[in-house]
Amino acid sequence: MGSTTSFWFFTFILFSFLYFSTSASRAPPPAAAGPVCDSTPDPSYCKSALPNQTGNVYSYGRSSVGKSLSSSRKFLRLVQKYLRTSRGSLTVGAVRALEDCELLAGLNVDFLTAAVRAVNATSRALPEMKAEEVQTLLSGILTNQQTCLDGVKATAGSWSVKNGLSLPLAADTKLYSMSLALFTKGWVPKKKKRATWNAAGRHGGFRNGRMSLKMSSRTRAIYETASRRKLLETDGDGDDQIAVRDIVVVSQDGTGNFTTINEAIVAAPNNSASTDGYFLIFVSAGVYQEYVSIAKNKRYLMMIGDGINQTVITGNRSVVDGWTTFNSATFAVVGPGFVAVNMTFQNTAGAAKHQAVAVRSGADLSTFYLCSFEGYQDTLYTHSLRQFYRDCDIYGTVDFIFGNAAVVFQNCNLYPRLPMANQFNAITAQGRTDPNQNTGTSIHNCRITPADDLANSSFPVKTFLGRPWKEYSRTVYMQSFMDDLINPAGWRAWDGDFALNTSYYAEFGNFGPGSNTSERVDWPGFHLINDTDAGNFTAGNFVLADDWLPQTGVPYASGLTG
């Protein structure tokens, strides 16, 4: 070990020592066992982390969430110190992994700040929507931790970063898991199930799946039929209008307000509220070779294109070329309330470059309507929080819909395509790591058919509905058409018997030649469910769509369709 390496090794050890010495090492001995801790995933850890704590679940929960916020701030400072003092000695890949961790740690500080306010406000169950919001944020914190850890572990030449961050990440993950469990027990109401089946004609402010705004004559429609505050006109049936605070046009020929999408995003106001109306960016037809990132302060943006294959955002970053999976995305959004309509998102790296993301969304209450997502492995990264996709086309090979959001896909086309030789297709790889996370992938009233390259290939390719990426992976297919490309087993193991007992995979009311369940896997985690259980994974129940989707104007079915 050379002198420079030794210096950085002891520096990282010192950082880690200081990180832990300010919290764990000064704690008094564990208190006696208490019933509140028994509701957490690791009661013994709870008793040691909250020593001498007395009272009910609310006092335990407030103490835990407060400690979590303090730890999240320490971890953010630790990552920033590594970047500030060590950047020149690290590989490019290690620096990128640390930059991911910095972004994610910053989000965790924000999420926990909101959680502290919520738990300090009351010692009783919160209203359903508020409880769902905080549970979503606490679930997202665990996802952010796991993403940081995955990136650090996967980065070549970053042994020092791994040694310096792995212990703090593991310790904070235990603390965050405890906070989520205590919040769920104390503040989340026992949910009253909403309607399982869909009310006839239920949809948002679009009529029959079409916007009142005419896409084919966009400029005239935008500037003649749209006022500054209202984009869509009612048609006499009382449909909701979409509130818009401002409209800008992106056009590569210079006839709009901006020539690039990123310029338009910079011009958007910061920290808008949902009541302010959308900042609408109309992106004219063209191929935009941009890496777009919508930050957390760019809230309630709506982006409308000229149509699939007309407005195209494209890039080619990949893990093989040195990017983390997280930052390989062509288009990434974390700003809440984002809406995209009539656009194509691509990652053209190709199958040989392995993980290469077209879109990564960690935006709460985000919506994609009439969009296309095109890639191979890891096309669409539904990273975290609550999301909805309607009438979209999604192309890919291995794990091409993956992540740990609470997400509903409705009326979408899923197109497995031709992978590399000796590869298989897995449509989903869901990443739930904790039993109290309110996350999972719900695929409702969709169609699974082969893309043209797979349909025309003479090579046998096995295609599966999904596989368990993380321990509590959860995916449900409901009322969807499955073509004969689906392997009769339906689902594929990740590694040996990992997560086969703890994952939750379910099917309900599917049809088509690939929907036959007689030869499905016999894992404890696989279920054939009835309509009551399936109702838990509808848009209305799983992401509480009726409380936020109408303002987007995107059509949706709240319950099962029949």
Side-chain angles (χ1 to χ4, degrees):
M1 183 181 295
S3 59
T4 301
T5 303
S6 299
F7 171 77
W8 288 119
F9 175 77
F10 289 114
T11 301
F12 286 125
I13 294 300
L14 178 61
F15 288 169
S16 297
F17 173 77
L18 292 173
Y19 181 88
F20 284 109
S21 65
T22 57
S23 53
S25 64
R26 297 179 185 173
V36 175
C37 282
D38 291 340
S39 65
T40 65
D42 189 342
S44 62
Y45 170 77
C46 174
K47 294 159 195 170
S48 65
L50 301 176
N52 301 330
Q53 179 68 47
T54 59
N56 56 22
V57 68
Y58 299 104
S59 60
Y60 274 80
R62 275 189 280 271
S63 178
S64 180
V65 175
K67 284 174 66 71
S68 294
L69 176 57
S70 177
S71 287
S72 71
R73 287 170 172 158
K74 291 174 188 173
F75 184 74
L76 176 58
R77 290 195 297 268
L78 179 65
V79 173
Q80 290 172 334
K81 194 166 188 178
Y82 281 9
L83 283 168
R84 187 171 63 251
T85 62
S86 313
R87 185 183 293 267
S89 66
L90 296 173
T91 64
V92 171
V95 170
R96 287 171 176 165
L98 281 171
E99 289 172 342
D100 291 350
C101 290
E102 182 181 29
L103 185 155
L104 295 163
L107 291 173
N108 282 356
V109 171
D110 294 343
F111 294 171
L112 281 161
T113 300
V116 165
R117 286 198 299 266
V119 299
N120 285 342
T122 183
S123 291
R124 62 181 63 184
L126 291 166
E128 184 181 38
M129 191 62 180
K130 184 62 178 179
E132 183 81 6
E133 175 191 333
V134 179
Q135 188 180 14
T136 295
L137 296 178
L138 292 173
S139 297
I141 289 163
L142 287 168
T143 303
N144 291 344
Q145 289 288 104
Q146 187 64 52
T147 303
C148 173
L149 183 61
D150 287 345
V152 167
K153 285 182 174 179
T155 303
S158 64
W159 62 267
S160 53
V161 175
K162 293 176 190 176
N163 289 345
L165 294 187
S166 294
L167 284 175
L169 280 167
D172 287 353
T173 295
K174 277 194 168 187
L175 179 58
Y176 300 160
S177 177
M178 178 176 68
S179 294
L180 174 59
L182 293 171
F183 177 82
T184 301
K185 182 173 177 62
W187 284 270
V188 175
K190 292 182 179 179
K191 291 183 180 178
K192 295 179 181 179
K193 281 189 178 178
R194 304 184 183 200
T196 296
W197 291 87
N198 197 50
R202 181 74 176 95
H203 48 66
F206 285 65
R207 291 295 297 166
N208 301 318
R210 295 181 180 273
M211 293 179 67
S212 301
L213 178 68
K214 293 183 179 179
M215 296 295 183
S216 58
S217 54
R218 68 181 184 283
T219 303
R220 180 177 178 182
I222 288 174
Y223 292 107
E224 292 185 10
T225 69
S227 71
R228 188 171 184 81
R229 292 289 304 172
K230 299 292 182 181
L231 172 65
L232 301 185
E233 295 183 294
T234 59
D235 57 5
D237 290 344
D239 283 343
D240 293 335
Q241 296 174 326
I242 298 177
V244 173
R245 66 184 299 168
D246 210 347
I247 301 170
V248 297
V249 175
V250 177
S251 183
Q252 292 175 322
D253 64 8
T255 58
N257 304 93
F258 304 98
T259 58
T260 70
I261 297 168
N262 281 305
E263 288 173 323
I265 293 169
V266 169
N270 294 331
N271 299 313
S272 297
S274 60
T275 53
D276 293 333
Y278 290 103
F279 183 84
L280 192 149
I281 301 171
F282 197 99
V283 186
S284 303
V287 177
Y288 294 81
Q289 295 181 333
E290 297 187 53
Y291 292 98
V292 177
S293 182
I294 300 176
K296 63 185 181 182
N297 63 337
K298 299 296 183 178
R299 303 163 62 95
Y300 294 97
L301 299 189
M302 179 178 283
M303 194 173 291
I304 300 176
D306 260 326
I308 289 175
N309 296 330
Q310 298 301 309
T311 298
V312 179
I313 304 176
T314 187
N316 63 358
R317 290 175 177 170
S318 70
V319 167
V320 169
D321 287 337
W323 300 90
T324 63
T325 301
F326 185 81
N327 61 33
S328 70
T330 301
F331 187 98
V333 54
V334 294
F338 176 74
V339 181
V341 183
N342 272 7
M343 307 181 74
T344 291
F345 305 92
Q346 294 178 339
N347 189 312
T348 61
K353 293 299 180 74
H354 296 282
Q355 296 95 334
V357 175
V359 167
R360 185 194 81 236
S361 177
D364 198 24
L365 309 180
S366 55
T367 308
F368 291 82
Y369 175 50
L370 293 170
C371 290
S372 183
F373 306 85
E374 300 174 7
Y376 286 85
Q377 183 170 347
D378 291 2
T379 301
L380 176 55
Y381 196 173
T382 56
H383 180 262
S384 55
L385 309 181
R386 293 166 289 183
Q387 307 180 24
F388 182 74
Y389 296 74
R390 170 81 181 206
D391 296 335
C392 291
D393 299 335
I394 308 159
Y395 297 81
T397 55
V398 181
D399 307 334
F400 66 91
I401 298 172
F402 76 112
N404 195 26
V407 57
V408 175
F409 293 89
Q410 200 173 89
N411 293 32
C412 292
N413 296 306
L414 312 183
Y415 292 116
R417 60 196 308 182
L418 185 65
M420 293 190 296
N422 301 318
Q423 277 189 332
F424 58 87
N425 287 332
I427 296 172
T428 65
Q430 207 281 328
R432 187 164 170 254
T433 60
D434 190 284
N436 288 302
Q437 287 180 307
N438 61 351
T439 56
T441 299
S442 174
I443 295 175
H444 180 209
N445 199 31
C446 293
R447 290 181 58 84
I448 306 169
T449 55
D452 289 345
D453 59 353
L454 182 58
N456 297 326
S457 172
S458 59
F459 295 102
V461 175
K462 292 183 178 180
T463 297
F464 299 91
L465 299 173
R467 57 182 186 147
W469 181 27
K470 302 297 182 184
E471 188 173 5
Y472 293 95
S473 181
R474 181 161 64 175
T475 301
V476 178
Y477 285 81
M478 310 185 299
Q479 299 183 313
S480 293
F481 173 81
M482 300 179 180
D483 212 342
D484 60 5
L485 78 164
I486 300 299
N487 186 274
W491 307 83
R492 183 184 174 100
W494 185 272
D495 183 15
D497 62 357
F498 170 74
L500 302 189
N501 295 326
T502 51
S503 58
Y504 183 90
Y505 288 138
E507 298 180 46
F508 167 77
N510 301 305
F511 58 101
S515 67
N516 188 328
T517 59
S518 62
E519 297 182 52
R520 288 295 196 253
V521 294
D522 59 358
W523 306 341
F526 173 69
H527 308 272
L528 298 175
I529 56 176
N530 59 26
D531 61 351
T532 301
D533 291 332
N536 293 323
F537 298 97
T538 59
N541 282 322
F542 196 50
V543 296
L544 302 187
D546 297 331
D547 294 306
W548 60 276
L549 264 178
Q551 78 175 54
T552 69
V554 172
Y556 72 101
S558 181
L560 297 172
T561 54

